[in-house]
Amino acid sequence: MTKGHIHDEESLRRLINSLSRIEGHVRGIKVMLQEGRDCPEVLVQVAAVRGALDRVARLILMEHLSECLVRAAQEGDASLELQELMAALEKFWPD
């Protein structure tokens, strides 16, 4: 069995578009810092990027639960898949 996740075309397009917007937003924050913009203004933009990344992560997690975990359960490998997901979530939401 080959490990990995294959996103459907629409889902992949949404994720890539979101990450491209986030990438542009981060570049904008760098410009703001270079221009000496006020810290509160920069922090608001950082918060917007964090929120956008959280939305991307949520989409990936929901897809993983509905696709990968279900597939693993059907193949009898759900325990390993669940352990890997829990390890990833521990890094995602550290103490």
Side-chain angles (χ1 to χ4, degrees), residues 26-70:
V26 169
R27 282 194 303 271
I29 293 169
K30 285 172 53 177
V31 169
M32 290 175 75
L33 289 170
Q34 291 168 338
E35 293 173 346
R37 303 280 281 272
D38 290 337
C39 293
E41 189 179 352
V42 174
L43 287 172
V44 167
Q45 297 306 311
V46 170
V49 168
R50 288 174 65 181
L53 280 172
D54 284 345
R55 286 186 293 279
V56 167
R58 186 178 310 117
L59 286 172
I60 292 170
L61 175 60
M62 297 308 281
E63 246 185 50
H64 185 73
L65 292 172
S66 65
E67 308 265 339
C68 299
L69 204 54
V70 169

Side-chain angles (χ1 to χ4, degrees), residues 3 11-12 16 21-24 26 35-36 40 42 44 47 51 54 61-62 74 77 85 87 91:
K3 188 98 168 99
S11 175
L12 182 59
I16 296 299
R21 282 191 301 275
I22 292 166
E23 183 179 25
V26 169
E35 293 173 346
V42 174
V44 167
D54 284 345
L61 175 60
M62 297 308 281
Q74 291 169 345
D77 206 13
L85 176 59
K91 292 177 184 173

